[in-house]
Amino acid sequence: MSLQALIFDVDGTLADTERDGHRPAFNAAFEEAALAWHWDVDLYGELLAVTGGKERMRFYAEHHDPGFLAQPDADEIIRRLHAAKTRHYLAMLEAGQIPLRPGVTELLLEAHVAGLRLAIATTTTPENVTTLLSASLAPEAIDWFEVIGAGDIVPKKKPAPDIYLWVLERLGLAPEDCLAIEDSANGLKSAVAARLPTVVTTSGYTVDEDFTGALAVLPDLASTQLPDIRLMHQIKKS
Ligand code: XBP
Ligand code: MG
């Protein structure tokens, strides 16, 4: 069967959200809570090895502030910090501060017009996805996506395959009839573990990662059109 659906990662793939989006939003939440944590650009690059904002904060505390986790309500504090971080991040998205990466709008539009099925598989919080799409693509763009898999709906985040398997089940498609687009080694591992042919578009933090197993590794999607994607998928199958 030919290509039926494209499944997109969000952070780093649709938009370069991490360094100037999620990172300052975490820092704003820490500051608001009078917590002496600050994640600079390099430290945040290291912390990205842990996917999921709540999981990332817990990992940071384990390694840099173990006393924090000794509080009986540490989990609740992490949940509250994460809700504040999401509020700050959504405000940045709504202010139009985080544009989509080059070529993303064109590829999504081309795929939508061609009747290809579209889906999202991401680690981030669902509102972050819907707000990014409506603020940076078009108010009705959420409707282009048949399935949005995001955040805590699966027990294990990327690099586990859970989120891609969840999306595939809802699409009712076999992995070989789809193609995933990712920006990170963790994302690629997750997609490949779900047996999805995957194209990588590297982002600021991920450019030096190991992308063994990808169909192609591109610096961005600026010159990648739907026929190119179909060809990559076709070559994989033959
Ligand atoms: C994205 C993530 C997320 C975001 C923060 O990874 O790891 O944790 O950094 O989002 P991917 P939340 O691109 O592989 O999905 O704070 O909403 O968890
Ligand atoms: Mg990503």
Side-chain angles (χ1 to χ4, degrees):
M1 208 192 269
S2 59
L3 182 63
Q4 303 289 304
L6 297 181
I7 310 176
F8 284 85
D9 167 51
V10 174
D11 294 299
T13 299
L14 293 185
D16 224 331
T17 52
E18 297 289 7
R19 196 190 69 175
D20 301 324
H22 289 293
R23 186 184 66 86
F26 279 112
N27 285 330
F30 302 154
E31 219 169 288
E32 203 172 71
L35 189 61
W37 293 1
H38 181 83
W39 292 353
D40 65 25
V41 170
D42 288 343
L43 171 63
Y44 192 68
E46 290 165 28
L47 295 173
L48 281 176
V50 180
T51 58
K54 294 186 287 294
E55 293 83 351
R56 191 169 298 145
M57 283 190 271
R58 169 167 284 280
F59 175 88
Y60 174 81
E62 272 161 17
H63 291 84
H64 298 269
D65 190 1
F68 176 92
L69 294 175
Q71 303 171 90
D73 54 347
D75 282 343
E76 178 52 30
I77 299 173
I78 287 178
R79 259 194 302 277
R80 266 190 261 133
L81 283 169
H82 193 250
K85 176 260 167 178
T86 299
R87 175 166 45 77
H88 288 292
Y89 181 69
L90 291 177
M92 295 170 81
L93 290 177
E94 277 157 8
Q97 286 174 23
I98 305 180
L100 298 183
R101 290 187 65 193
V104 167
T105 301
E106 293 79 357
L107 182 60
L108 286 174
L109 200 56
E110 219 186 329
H112 177 61
V113 169
L116 217 59
R117 298 168 71 186
L118 293 175
I120 295 275
T122 176
T123 295
T124 203
T125 305
E127 305 94 280
N128 296 349
V129 182
T130 47
T131 308
L132 175 73
L133 292 174
S134 57
S136 302
L137 187 56
E140 70 283 2
I142 300 148
D143 300 334
W144 300 1
F145 294 86
E146 201 178 319
V147 179
I148 296 185
D152 296 329
I153 46 161
V154 287
K156 287 203 222 104
K157 293 186 175 163
K158 299 174 188 176
D162 302 30
I163 194 68
Y164 278 107
L165 295 173
W166 189 93
V167 168
L168 283 170
E169 196 187 325
R170 270 145 196 88
L171 286 172
L173 290 174
E176 60 268 26
D177 299 325
C178 306
L179 185 137
I181 304 183
E182 271 287 354
D183 75 300
S184 68
N186 272 334
L188 174 66
K189 276 186 200 150
S190 170
V192 167
R195 300 192 5 261
L196 278 156
T198 306
V199 169
V200 169
T201 165
T202 57
S203 61
Y205 275 122
T206 68
V207 70
D208 294 323
E209 292 183 349
D210 178 6
F211 295 118
T212 307
L215 289 188
V217 181
L218 311 167
D220 55 49
L221 295 170
S223 51
T224 305
Q225 289 162 344
L226 194 53
D228 307 311
I229 295 279
R230 285 195 198 279
L231 195 62
M232 290 178 215
H233 184 256
Q234 195 57 42
I235 290 168
K236 160 79 179 173
K237 293 199 92 174
S238 54

